[in-house]
Structure formats: C-alpha cells, structure tokens
Amino acid sequence: HTHTYIYAYIRVCVCDDRVDALFIYVLVNVLLLLRQSLFLVISAQKYIYCEAWMALRGFWQLQKLIVSYSDWGGSSRGIRAFMESHLPTYKECNPQLEVVTELIRGQHPHLKGFYRNKNQRVICVKNLCPEDILLQATRLRNALGRKVVKLKTRHVTKNPSVQGTWTTDMQL
C-alpha cells in the first residue's frame, strides 16, 4: 500500500511539472536501500527514466512533435497502438508541447521534433512496440536540439597541460 502511494506520488509530480530531481533521486535510492519491493524499485526507475525532464534556462526546447504514420502499413502497427494507448496521456503530461499526427501512406512511421533553435530531429519508429515509441518520443522531448559535434581528439580541455597529456604507458 505504501509502495503504491509513493509510486503514484512520483507519477503525479512528474506529470504536473512539479518534479524535483533531487527528491526523486533520494527517494529511489532509499527504496533501493530498503529493498522492500524490488519490482517497485525497477518500475519506479523505469518510469522516472521515461519521464525525466530537460529544459534549458527554464524553457522546454522541443516545441512541436509530429507523429507520422500509415493507416494500412504493417510497419505502422506499433505507432497506431501508441496513438490509441499512450499518446493522449503523453499530450496531457506535456501541455507545453504541440503534438500533431500526420497520415502518410506508403512510408515508414517516424517522429519528427522541432526545437526552439530551429533544428529538427527525425526518428524512424518502424516495427517498434508502443512502449519503445513512447521512449523515443520522450528522448526527443528531453533533447536540447543541438547538433551532434564530432570531437577531433579523445581528450578535450580548455587548459591543456604544459607537461603533456597523461597516458598509461608513461614511464616514471
């Protein structure tokens, strides 16, 4: 009974955007230490991971999410189930986000996110189950929308060492 109450409280806090990340972190760690209900801890961690929030300077970066699907294609079976089961709750938990569904025949389903910095990301969700599509939609929401930058070296620093970079084969 207590476990259900804690889980429901975490869920309500996350959906109402009144979530305190430190509070949830401490709560999950306390549950891990108590080990009273392993199933609750696993489900709480999974739900917190799916509902983690990301904003930059207090503003959500994802402005618009387009859910594209086909009404007869076999690869769109999962996204059609996602739209029936998870999409209404997802819209309700994310009122700051404009969610649009788009019917495209003869193409694989995909999620397209438009960010404040004018960037966009497209994720193909063909043949995925509704839970995996929810995870991908949440990852789009949590991303900042920045372009991925390939690093030229493994070690990046603003203040390089005068003595050189440390390696494992250094001889003293």
Side-chain angles (χ1 to χ4, degrees):
H1 179 68
T2 306
H3 303 304
T4 308
Y5 175 73
I6 292 172
Y7 181 74
Y9 181 71
I10 291 173
R11 191 170 182 179
V12 166
C13 284
V14 171
C15 285
D16 289 345
D17 288 337
R18 291 182 286 124
V19 67
D20 183 13
L22 182 62
F23 166 73
I24 291 179
Y25 177 76
V26 169
L27 184 64
V28 169
N29 284 331
V30 166
L31 290 174
L32 279 171
L33 289 174
L34 294 176
R35 296 176 193 238
Q36 291 179 356
S37 174
L38 186 61
F39 175 75
L40 171 75
V41 172
I42 291 171
S43 61
Q45 281 181 334
K46 183 176 179 184
Y47 193 80
I48 289 169
Y49 175 71
C50 289
E51 292 293 333
W53 51 276
M54 176 62 75
L56 183 67
R57 295 183 197 91
F59 291 101
W60 290 98
Q61 296 304 300
L62 183 65
Q63 288 184 323
K64 185 176 183 179
L65 179 69
I66 297 179
V67 180
S68 301
Y69 69 101
S70 173
D71 57 349
W72 58 269
S75 62
S76 294
R77 186 178 301 121
I79 201 160
R80 288 192 300 263
F82 165 77
M83 288 170 49
E84 291 175 4
S85 60
H86 297 297
L87 193 60
T89 309
Y90 187 78
K91 283 182 180 181
E92 185 179 305
C93 288
N94 298 294
Q96 81 286 352
L97 184 60
E98 179 187 355
V99 180
V100 179
T101 58
E102 177 184 47
L103 177 65
I104 51 165
R105 290 193 172 120
Q107 294 182 13
H108 291 302
H110 60 271
L111 301 173
K112 186 183 288 189
F114 294 92
Y115 294 91
R116 284 186 185 273
N117 59 2
K118 307 294 186 239
N119 287 340
Q120 63 182 11
R121 287 190 182 176
V122 179
I123 298 180
C124 182
V125 291
K126 69 175 183 179
N127 299 324
L128 291 182
C129 66
E131 289 76 22
D132 291 341
I133 295 173
L134 176 63
L135 180 65
Q136 294 299 331
T138 307
R139 284 182 179 165
L140 273 177
R141 183 199 66 185
N142 292 346
L144 293 177
R146 295 178 178 157
K147 293 289 184 185
V148 179
V149 178
K150 184 178 178 184
L151 300 177
K152 294 182 174 81
T153 61
R154 291 187 319 159
H155 183 71
V156 177
T157 179
K158 290 182 180 177
N159 302 318
S161 173
V162 189
Q163 300 173 348
T165 307
W166 183 86
T167 60
T168 55
D169 56 330
M170 287 187 78
Q171 297 176 358
L172 297 174

